[in-house]
Amino acid sequence: MTETPAMPMDPAERRRLTRRNILKASAAAGAALGAAGLPVLSTSTPAIGTRGLRAEELIPEKRRGIILYSVRDRISAAPDDSGVPYGFERVLARIAELGYKEVEFAGYNQHTSILGRQITPEEIRKILDDNGLVANGTHASINATTFTQQMDIAQTLGMKHIGTGSDPTNSSYASDWDAAADLWNELGRQARKRGMKLYTHNHDAAYSFLLDEGPFDANGRPTRSSGIRRLEYFFGKADPKYVFFELDIYWAYVARFKHQKYIDKRGFERTDLFDPILNVAARGDRFPLFHAKDGNRNSALANGYEMTPLGEGDINFQQFFETIGDANERHANWEQDTAPGGATNPGQSLDFAALSYQNMSELTIYKRGH
């Protein structure tokens, strides 16, 4: 069943609701969670003075992170007179001032004019340590040729997770996902020997439907689907001891918007609505990392959403993080691909980082306590 778009909301009212995170779970969502044997939690903030309740942070302070891709413009910037931090030393110091405790890398280079050469992983590690920051992962190129080198860098930076910003394969076919699983299982074994977890990061296409049913095309490839989604197929092929996942929450909700229909083996169109919460809650121990990326619903756009700073959009992070499992076992990295403001607003990405951290810190769950 296709979702009915919400009526337009006054921007001030939207900001009040999203920033304070008091959206309630829908009845349909609650029923689905209950049917799956998962907890159905209230996402409303209790009245001030309610007795017998204690507040807990949905994302503990030590787990609040940022992927540096969001501030890539300032990491890569040459020294300038804008007054905005540039390069690893200044940008990471600012990130720490904002309150972030963890960072996820998206490359290890800065402008060579800062040092007269490229910075080294050892120098970056010192900057992390000096600012009380922990590297929780990376978006590197994951392949058999360079994996040892990537693990060396990750270990220098103190990472417990090593990953990529792309899917294991872009294919629609099970055979290619089988081959990807074989490679990732082997690389995951290697990572585990070095004390790291190997992870892959999704975009919306990862949750589109696998082509795994006949009839077949001229090359013997299936043209229809059983209804299983690509990454869900990979879950079953990748060894849970060696292969892990970083859910990009924004792209998961884009998948919910975009990938609803498939053609079954008999030629009938079927509808299946993807649920990002159930996707994680059913296998929470396989998702150590998340991209906390927000967006406003806009059905006029191809993706159905437009990226915003965290807490300023329509994605219900309160409901999401309440439901998926132990808060101490997840790392939430804020990301906004569109954060850089360019030459006209060089401070925008760091301003958005500040706003997103504030909103992340306000995510709270209320529990009965002693």
Side-chain angles (χ1 to χ4, degrees), residues 184-240:
W184 277 68
N185 285 338
E186 173 54 33
L187 297 181
R189 290 186 189 95
Q190 295 177 28
R192 184 171 180 175
K193 290 178 181 178
R194 302 275 288 265
M196 288 179 279
K197 292 180 178 180
L198 174 65
Y199 67 92
T200 179
H201 167 278
N202 68 280
H203 292 91
D204 69 278
Y207 289 110
S208 62
F209 296 100
L210 198 69
L211 295 179
D212 60 344
E213 299 274 10
F216 299 91
D217 64 18
N219 296 316
R221 296 279 204 175
T223 61
R224 295 177 183 170
S225 180
S226 65
I228 190 170
R229 298 175 188 271
R230 299 180 190 184
L231 201 60
E232 291 177 335
Y233 178 81
F234 187 73
F235 290 152
K237 295 294 181 175
D239 193 319

Side-chain angles (χ1 to χ4, degrees), residues 65 256 290:
R256 180 179 175 86
F290 295 87

Side-chain angles (χ1 to χ4, degrees), residues 18-19 21 56-59 64 310 317-318 321 358-365:
T18 55
R19 285 203 63 196
N21 301 293
E56 289 187 5
E57 299 166 329
L58 275 177
I59 303 174
R64 296 174 198 157
L310 178 64
F317 288 94
Q318 178 75 29
F321 281 115
Q358 178 63 37
N359 289 343
M360 186 186 292
S361 71
E362 291 177 1
L363 288 168
T364 305
I365 184 172

Side-chain angles (χ1 to χ4, degrees), residues 67-345:
I67 180 168
L68 297 180
Y69 184 74
S70 300
V71 292
R72 62 193 181 277
D73 58 324
R74 299 314 303 172
I75 293 287
S76 62
D80 58 36
D81 58 3
S82 68
V84 182
Y86 58 85
F88 278 111
E89 183 173 14
R90 292 166 179 81
V91 172
L92 289 179
R94 178 59 179 150
I95 291 300
E97 287 175 358
L98 295 177
Y100 290 99
K101 299 300 183 185
E102 298 190 335
V103 296
E104 184 180 25
F105 282 82
Y108 309 112
N109 292 338
Q110 64 179 15
H111 204 280
T112 54
S113 66
I114 296 174
L115 296 175
R117 57 172 172 79
Q118 193 50 258
I119 195 170
T120 67
E122 290 79 10
E123 289 168 328
I124 297 173
R125 175 59 186 270
K126 185 177 187 306
I127 296 169
L128 290 171
D129 293 345
D130 288 347
N131 287 283
L133 294 170
V134 174
N136 66 19
T138 183
H139 280 193
S141 176
I142 300 299
N143 59 70
T145 304
T146 64
F147 193 56
T148 298
Q149 177 188 17
Q150 292 295 335
M151 287 194 294
D152 290 343
I153 296 172
Q155 282 203 316
T156 296
L157 294 173
M159 294 178 194
K160 297 300 184 184
H161 308 88
I162 181 170
T164 180
S166 58
D167 299 317
T169 174
N170 294 320
S171 174
S172 300
Y173 305 110
S175 60
D176 294 321
W177 285 91
D178 291 340
D182 290 341
L183 173 62
W184 277 68
N185 285 338
E186 173 54 33
L187 297 181
R189 290 186 189 95
Q190 295 177 28
R192 184 171 180 175
K193 290 178 181 178
R194 302 275 288 265
M196 288 179 279
K197 292 180 178 180
L198 174 65
Y199 67 92
T200 179
H201 167 278
N202 68 280
H203 292 91
D204 69 278
Y207 289 110
S208 62
F209 296 100
L210 198 69
L211 295 179
D212 60 344
E213 299 274 10
F216 299 91
D217 64 18
N219 296 316
R221 296 279 204 175
T223 61
R224 295 177 183 170
S225 180
S226 65
I228 190 170
R229 298 175 188 271
R230 299 180 190 184
L231 201 60
E232 291 177 335
Y233 178 81
F234 187 73
F235 290 152
K237 295 294 181 175
D239 193 319
K241 296 191 300 293
Y242 304 126
V243 181
F244 298 86
F245 302 88
E246 175 181 64
L247 186 81
D248 187 303
I249 300 170
Y250 172 89
W251 289 117
Y253 278 92
V254 170
R256 180 179 175 86
F257 173 81
K258 287 177 64 175
H259 306 300
Q260 299 184 9
K261 298 182 183 298
Y262 65 94
I263 303 300
D264 72 10
K265 64 181 179 181
R266 297 167 57 196
F268 292 107
E269 183 180 83
R270 303 291 184 184
T271 298
D272 179 71
L273 193 62
F274 178 64
D275 191 319
I277 294 177
L278 289 176
N279 175 66
V280 175
R283 51 181 74 86
D285 58 347
R286 301 191 74 177
F287 285 88
L289 298 126
F290 295 87
H291 272 189
K293 183 191 300 179
D294 206 349
N296 279 326
R297 276 295 300 269
N298 186 343
S299 58
L301 299 176
N303 287 330
Y305 288 86
E306 183 176 11
M307 292 181 194
T308 69
L310 178 64
E312 302 303 297
D314 296 325
I315 295 175
N316 191 343
F317 288 94
Q318 178 75 29
Q319 179 189 358
F320 184 91
F321 281 115
E322 275 193 14
T323 309
I324 62 171
D326 186 351
N328 289 300
E329 297 300 321
R330 56 175 172 260
H331 305 261
N333 294 318
W334 169 65
E335 183 182 38
Q336 185 178 340
D337 303 10
T338 58
T344 59
N345 189 1

Side-chain angles (χ1 to χ4, degrees), residues 25-35 38 40 319:
S26 69
L33 292 168
L38 297 165
V40 181
Q319 179 189 358

Side-chain angles (χ1 to χ4, degrees), residues 6-18 23 314:
M7 292 297 291
M9 183 182 294
D10 176 80
E13 178 69 5
R14 169 181 283 164
R15 179 176 173 80
R16 183 181 70 81
L17 288 172
T18 55
L23 293 172
D314 296 325

